[in-house]
Amino acid sequence: MLKIIDVNNTADLPTWQKELANAVKNPQQLLQILEIEQETTRISELAKKQFPMLVPMPFVNKMKKGDINDPLLKQVLPIHDEELHISGYSTDPLVEQNNQHKGLLHKYKSRVLIILKSGCAVNCRYCFRRHFPYADNSVNKSQLTNIVSYIQAHPQVNEVILSGGDPLMTKDKQLAELLDQLEALPQLTRLRIHTRLPVVIPSRITDTLTTRLQQSRLKIVMVLHINHAQEIDKPFAEAMQRCHQAGIQLLNQSVLLKDVNDDVTTLVALSEALFSVNILPYYLFLLDKVQGAAHFDLNEQKAQQLHKQMQAELPGYLVPRLSREIAGEQSKTLIHSL
């Protein structure tokens, strides 16, 4: 679970940690900030208890006041639909919870994924790891050393993916220490960081972080998670500019979500907005069938139709790959347009 920061003792913390400490955790408080009448909502206290709400204020500030259908609000507000148990949806849709190495997933031949942190800066309601036993998979320094030894013993691995939770929940100093260890392995050529934190707290992109990543001998790839153009505002754009200037390759993966981004106008606007801040659209995923998120799901045929419409309106380099992840497969499964 996320380590709780004392909101009354944050004077010495970096800006991003202060904003994390002051994240909104109460649905009623969030609606009050947004000036939304509470009786018009379907808030579920049970869903909030099972998967706590967590929304930093920089992300809240991107939402439209008075709009219960705001696409960013829908991604974070716990509602009664999450309580429904739907056939075909599971608590472990990608079968990750029986991994043999603590904190490490080695599903693909040349890449390994390190679950570096158990917490995120925002709890997205459709998260495929919303039931993941992070407490059983969090890693300490000695376990990270063991993971590095495992990578060294598997010379076919040339890329490390930092995931979580969100790997950028790790402090800059600890990230630098891990990077030192990984850079010492000559077989490695790339480091990939999967993160949503800069989207919800842009101040996480510190000068210390970008300087260290720029100095690395590894090619650094940062994969953001952005579902709607409204998530791209000036503070975030400025953070991405710092990353771009540091030579970091910026990619984005989105999840196709019902009533959030399931129309071609919204998806085209997202691709255009991403490219305007030097981010290339990478993947557009169908929802992983995780229990509690079925209300976000779209059928594959609708997704194929939307993807075909995107191809008609965008240049090829701005069309993300429509894909889904299937447990046990050796790669993402591409879905072709109709």
Side-chain angles (χ1 to χ4, degrees), residues 44-324:
S44 168
E45 290 297 325
L46 177 61
K48 188 193 78 167
K49 181 179 179 181
Q50 294 174 337
F51 186 46
M53 194 189 88
L54 184 70
V55 194
M57 279 305 300
F59 195 65
V60 175
N61 291 337
K62 302 180 187 188
M63 300 176 187
K64 298 175 184 175
K65 289 191 174 182
D67 185 2
I68 188 60
N69 293 312
D70 180 87
L72 277 58
L73 176 61
K74 284 192 170 187
Q75 295 179 56
V76 298
L77 189 68
I79 62 173
H80 289 294
D81 286 348
E82 296 179 36
E83 300 176 21
L84 302 176
H85 285 265
I86 308 296
S87 176
Y89 295 78
S90 79
T91 57
D92 186 17
L94 302 186
V95 191
E96 293 182 327
Q97 296 180 20
N98 294 320
N99 57 306
Q100 296 180 345
H101 304 280
K102 187 172 184 178
L104 181 74
L105 297 175
H106 190 179
K107 296 192 292 184
Y108 308 133
K109 180 179 178 180
S110 64
R111 288 98 71 202
V112 296
L113 183 148
I114 300 174
I115 301 174
L116 190 58
K117 277 293 180 179
S118 60
C120 288
V122 63
N123 284 345
C124 302
R125 310 313 300 179
Y126 52 86
C127 180
F128 72 95
R129 289 189 182 136
R130 58 181 289 160
H131 304 284
F132 192 79
Y134 284 113
D136 299 330
N137 285 275
S138 59
V139 293
N140 55 33
K141 277 190 175 183
S142 65
Q143 289 161 338
L144 278 175
T145 299
N146 292 337
I147 287 173
V148 172
S149 297
Y150 175 92
I151 297 169
Q152 186 175 26
H154 291 76
Q156 73 272 28
V157 174
N158 62 15
E159 179 175 356
V160 169
I161 301 167
L162 301 184
S163 185
D166 195 308
L168 289 188
M169 293 284 281
T170 309
K171 297 175 183 177
D172 289 342
K173 181 180 178 181
Q174 282 72 46
L175 276 174
E177 291 173 353
L178 175 59
L179 198 51
D180 289 342
Q181 295 183 68
L182 296 176
E183 288 168 342
L185 302 181
Q187 72 203 66
L188 295 182
T189 60
R190 293 182 300 276
L191 176 70
R192 199 189 324 169
I193 302 170
H194 281 229
T195 181
R196 187 152 165 76
L197 214 161
V199 183
V200 299
I201 304 180
S203 62
R204 178 61 190 96
I205 303 300
T206 63
D207 291 340
T208 302
L209 176 64
T210 54
T211 298
R212 180 60 185 89
L213 294 178
Q214 186 174 26
Q215 292 170 345
S216 179
R217 72 161 186 84
L218 302 174
K219 177 62 180 178
I220 307 296
V221 181
M222 185 178 291
V223 182
L224 287 305
H225 178 177
I226 304 166
N227 297 316
H228 196 282
Q230 193 175 315
E231 298 177 38
I232 300 172
D233 61 358
K234 184 177 179 181
F236 175 71
E238 291 172 348
M240 292 302 97
Q241 179 64 17
R242 293 194 293 275
C243 289
H244 179 67
Q245 291 174 339
I248 299 168
Q249 177 68 57
L250 301 172
L251 304 174
N252 184 66
Q253 56 186 25
S254 306
V255 180
L256 195 54
L257 301 169
K258 185 177 180 182
D259 296 329
V260 172
N261 60 7
D262 60 332
D263 66 89
V264 68
T265 300
T266 299
L267 292 171
V268 167
L270 173 58
S271 282
E272 295 283 7
L274 288 168
F275 194 63
S276 74
V277 294
N278 299 304
I279 303 173
L280 275 176
Y282 178 35
Y283 278 124
L284 176 61
F285 284 119
L286 270 70
L287 183 81
D288 293 316
K289 293 187 179 297
V290 62
Q291 197 66 249
H295 56 288
F296 286 114
D297 208 359
L298 289 172
N299 66 60
E300 187 170 304
Q301 185 176 8
K302 173 69 180 295
Q304 289 173 300
Q305 291 172 344
L306 286 170
H307 197 247
K308 184 176 182 179
Q309 291 173 314
M310 290 181 72
Q311 290 176 312
E313 295 200 24
L314 289 167
Y317 57 87
L318 292 187
V319 180
R321 301 167 185 170
L322 182 64
S323 311
R324 76 178 333 141

